[in-house]
Structure formats: C-alpha cells, structure tokens
C-alpha cells in the first residue's frame, strides 16, 4: 500500500507491506550500507534504504520505519513541501 499526504508543510509518503516484518533489534541495522537481514529472503546489495534515508536527510526530511514481525513493515518518508 502506498499513501501520500500533506502534513504541516511537508509531504509524507508511507509504503506498507505485509511481508515478514523486521525484529525491533534489527530495525536500525537496515539503514546501514550493505546490511541484509539473514533469513529475510531479500536479494540486493543492501544499499536501498541507506541511500533513501541519506537522500531524505539531504532534502531536510526523514525516513524511518515501523515493523511488526509476522505482520509487515511501514516505511515513512517525510520531506518539506515545495513552496511556490
């Protein structure tokens, strides 16, 4: 699921899935470069979330996630809205 909204001068994009979820003790680790969680079945380099968070911060925003093992994960991007 993808939701987009405006909130207090910012654009907020939330992406939620119903995957395996991420245990609480490993949530910050997914934002480290080249980290892939064992047993997740995920493929890739382990660069997607670290680069996305870095880009969000360069745009003066944030990227974080909430997750429940066995239920899924929600990634939330918040960046300032363009002013015209």
């Amino acid at each position: 699921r993808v939701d987009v909204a405006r909130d207090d001068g910012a654009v907020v994009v939330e992406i939620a899935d119903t995957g395996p979820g991420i245990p609480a003790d490993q949530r910050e680790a997914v934002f480290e470069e080249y980290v892939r969680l064992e047993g997740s079945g995920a493929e890739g380099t382990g660069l997607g979330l670290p680069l996305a968070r870095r880009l969000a911060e360069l745009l003066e925003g944030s990227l974080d996630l909430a997750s429940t093992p066995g239920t899924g994960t929600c990634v939330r991007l918040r960046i300032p809205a363009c002013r015209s």
Side-chain angles (χ1 to χ4, degrees):
R1 188 184 83 233
V2 177
D3 294 311
V4 180
R6 290 187 80 136
D7 180 41
D8 195 30
V11 175
V12 179
V13 180
E14 290 186 351
I15 301 168
D17 68 32
T18 57
I22 302 169
D25 64 340
Q26 295 181 352
R27 286 189 198 131
E28 279 305 307
V30 299
F31 291 107
E32 295 175 21
E33 294 177 355
Y34 303 108
V35 169
R36 292 184 359 200
L37 301 180
E38 281 191 40
S40 69
E43 295 181 18
T45 61
L47 290 173
L49 286 172
L51 291 176
R53 180 178 262 182
R54 196 171 292 163
L55 180 58
E57 290 169 351
L58 286 171
L59 295 170
E60 299 179 1
S62 61
L63 181 85
D64 51 50
L65 62 83
S67 187
T68 303
T71 301
T73 300
C74 180
V75 177
R76 184 176 191 207
L77 169 68
R78 182 182 181 88
I79 55 174
C82 294
R83 292 182 170 82
S84 40

